[in-house]
Structure formats: structure tokens, C-alpha cells
Amino acid sequence: MKIVALAGGVGGAKLAHGLAQCLPPGDLTVIVNTGDDFDHYGLRICPDLDTVCYTLAGLANPETGWGRAEERWKVMENLRALGAPSWFNLGDADLATHLERTRRLRAGKPLTAVTAEFCAAWGVAQRVLPMTDQPVATMVQTRSDGELPFQEYFVHRRCEPAVTGFRFEGIQAAKAADGVLESIQSADAVVLCPSNPWVSIGPIVALPGVMDALRSAKTIAVSPLIGGQAVKGPAAKMYQDLGIPPSSKAVAEHYRAFLTAMVLDRTDCDEAAQIEHWGIISMVTNIFMSSPEDRQRLAREVLALCEQV
């Protein structure tokens, strides 16, 4: 069964890892958000892409879910001593990724090719595709501070400003990376991982051609919310700021234009009836992934639902 996973951030990386344990490598393609990519210290940083790749490679920090395991911070310590901006932490091993990525991009290689080369070096057998090779920047519109680049909002401001909307700078001029539309069109099912609908899945769906491809596909979303709360990240706060009560039902409605089935937590089982009223199949299970075993269990259940639809 050919599966495409749309992912961004720690939750998306965890389910992608679970799917990778359950499928032959050639049967899984992971399309990753690049809307939160940015330049820092003159380097191209791709946070979601690196989180997914590090997790698939078994290199991710098991405590945070992002960054590298057994990381060292000597470069950051010395940058702070020199008075450099230090609000975005880069570990020493992680820094090597950004240095080499930037060098290859400046030499003319597209991000898709660089990512494939990194995956080969790290032993990642699955196909990992950045959503586009063109720059797209997620801009967060706030009530108090105007429009902020995503990392400024997320890391530097710690998600404190109230959100009023989002804009994906460069999205209309961007093209889906080679293989993105083709993989969606040829997949038996597309899994929307439990990533932030607004700023992780949203930029992927906003790419020209992706929405049409999803409407023609079998799509299964795993809720990033449990009991109205995000396991990690600002998704629930964003819904609240926008005047939408955060819930798995709200996530299903967010994807309603193309969604076939929704996986929600047992805590939210009372929301299943409304989701099914919209013509969306629902499955209720434990979606909290606290261990690698949980990732595989949830992935198996999602794959069983994929076969059903």
C-alpha cells in the first residue's frame, strides 16, 4: 500500500516514524512543510524538515523531539559570549546540517536534492520531500505586534502575541517540488499527520495544485488535539485566538473540503457523531504517542483505516 504522509514538527515526525516501521521503505513518501524555514547566522534553517529526517534516522533528541540526540552547545556558548543573537538554539551537530545545506544550496542544488543526499547519508530509506524548492515564508498576523515571521512568533516571542491570521509569503509563485503532486495522485491514501493545521499542514495544502490532488485522494487526518489541547506546540492557542473552540471536530472541519476519515482520541469520542454527520469516517483510539511502541501501534491502526477507506 502506497502511503503519502504530510508532516511538520514533532507530532508529524513521530507518526511518520511509526509509519516507516510498518511499511516497506518504497511505500512511504513524507512531504514536509518548509514554510517555517528561515535564514539565521547566514545559514538556511529547515526546522520541520530536519525534525522529520532526524526522527526517521534515529538521530532526534528523544526528550525534546527536535534537534539531535547527545547534542553539544559549544558554538552557541561562544556566540553568546560574543553578544550574538541567541534566541534560536543550534546545537553543534545540528549546525553541521545547516552549514552543509547552505553550501549546497548556494552551489545551485535544489532543496529536494540536498534533502535526498542528507537522507542517504543518515540511512533514511523512505522518500522525504520538502513541499517546494522555492522559498515560502509563513507569516503570523498578530493583534499586538503586526505581522511576524513564524520563528519570531514561535521561538523568540514564545507564541505569546494573539493570532489574527496567517499569510504564506511566496506561495503563489512556488511550485510543488518534483514528486509531490505525483506521489499524492498515485498514493492509495494520504495521511495528514498530527501536525499544526494552520502552520504545518496549511502551507503544504496552499501550494498550487495540492488541494486539487487531495480532493481526488483518500485522505486520513490524525488530530493534533486531545481534549482541546495540543500535545506540543501552539495549535490549540491559535484556534482560541481566532475565536474557534479547539477540538478534534474543529480540525476535521478545517480539512473538511478534502477529508475522507478522521482519527481522534478516546477523550474526544463524543465529537465523532458530528464528524460523521459531515460524511467523514471517524475512528476513535489512543492517539497519544509517548513511546516508539505507541508510534507503531497508532501507525498500524491508521494503516488499517487506510485499507478500510
Side-chain angles (χ1 to χ4, degrees), residues 35-97:
D36 61 354
D37 294 5
F38 74 123
D39 292 322
H40 194 52
Y41 298 128
L43 303 175
R44 191 63 175 167
I45 316 294
C46 303
D48 281 2
L49 198 55
D50 292 339
T51 296
V52 169
C53 291
Y54 289 160
T55 302
L56 291 175
L59 298 173
N61 183 327
E63 295 180 3
T64 63
W66 55 268
R68 296 282 292 262
E70 301 179 359
E71 186 61 279
R72 292 168 60 87
W73 303 94
K74 293 296 183 183
V75 173
M76 285 305 303
E77 290 172 10
N78 282 278
L79 284 168
R80 288 190 185 96
L82 294 170
S86 58
W87 57 269
F88 194 92
N89 281 323
L90 297 171
D92 296 353
D94 190 36
L95 188 61
T97 299

Side-chain angles (χ1 to χ4, degrees), residues 6-270:
L6 308 188
V10 175
K14 285 182 176 180
L15 184 56
H17 182 252
L19 292 168
Q21 308 311 303
C22 300
L23 291 167
D27 286 353
L28 177 61
T29 298
V30 186
I31 299 170
V32 185
N33 168 51
T34 59
D36 61 354
D37 294 5
F38 74 123
D39 292 322
H40 194 52
Y41 298 128
L43 303 175
R44 191 63 175 167
I45 316 294
C46 303
D48 281 2
L49 198 55
D50 292 339
T51 296
V52 169
C53 291
Y54 289 160
T55 302
L56 291 175
L59 298 173
N61 183 327
E63 295 180 3
T64 63
W66 55 268
R68 296 282 292 262
E70 301 179 359
E71 186 61 279
R72 292 168 60 87
W73 303 94
K74 293 296 183 183
V75 173
M76 285 305 303
E77 290 172 10
N78 282 278
L79 284 168
R80 288 190 185 96
L82 294 170
S86 58
W87 57 269
F88 194 92
N89 281 323
L90 297 171
D92 296 353
D94 190 36
L95 188 61
T97 299
H98 310 312
L99 284 164
E100 182 58 12
R101 174 191 292 118
T102 304
R103 186 189 70 80
R104 297 189 192 195
L105 290 173
R106 287 178 180 168
K109 285 190 177 181
L111 183 60
T112 305
V114 175
T115 302
E117 292 166 355
F118 283 8
C119 284
W122 291 327
V124 176
Q126 294 74 24
R127 191 183 191 191
V128 179
L129 295 174
M131 68 182 201
T132 181
D133 285 321
Q134 284 81 46
V136 171
T138 295
M139 307 298 291
V140 182
Q141 296 160 343
T142 72
R143 187 168 293 118
S144 59
D145 297 274
E147 193 171 67
L148 299 173
F150 178 74
Q151 297 301 337
E152 173 71 19
Y153 163 82
F154 181 58
V155 180
H156 201 186
R157 307 289 186 94
R158 300 184 180 183
C159 308
E160 291 176 358
V163 171
T164 60
F166 307 92
R167 182 174 66 87
F168 305 127
E169 188 174 284
I171 196 74
Q172 294 303 322
K175 295 180 180 179
D178 287 347
V180 166
L181 295 178
E182 294 83 355
S183 64
I184 293 172
Q185 291 161 350
S186 63
D188 293 302
V190 177
V191 176
L192 279 67
C193 291
S195 303
N196 189 311
W198 300 102
V199 295
S200 292
I201 303 300
I204 304 174
V205 175
L207 276 170
V210 171
M211 175 70 86
D212 288 341
L214 290 173
R215 284 194 175 109
S216 300
K218 299 296 184 183
T219 56
I220 293 88
V222 179
S223 177
L225 302 180
I226 298 176
Q229 299 296 318
V231 176
K232 200 175 185 69
K237 180 182 181 296
M238 288 174 171
Y239 275 103
Q240 288 175 329
D241 289 350
L242 293 165
I244 304 169
S247 64
S248 293
K249 181 177 68 175
V251 175
E253 189 165 15
H254 197 113
Y255 298 141
R256 190 175 167 185
F258 56 81
L259 193 60
T260 306
M262 182 79 186
V263 182
L264 58 158
D265 193 75
R266 291 174 182 145
T267 305
D268 304 315
C269 62
D270 59 340

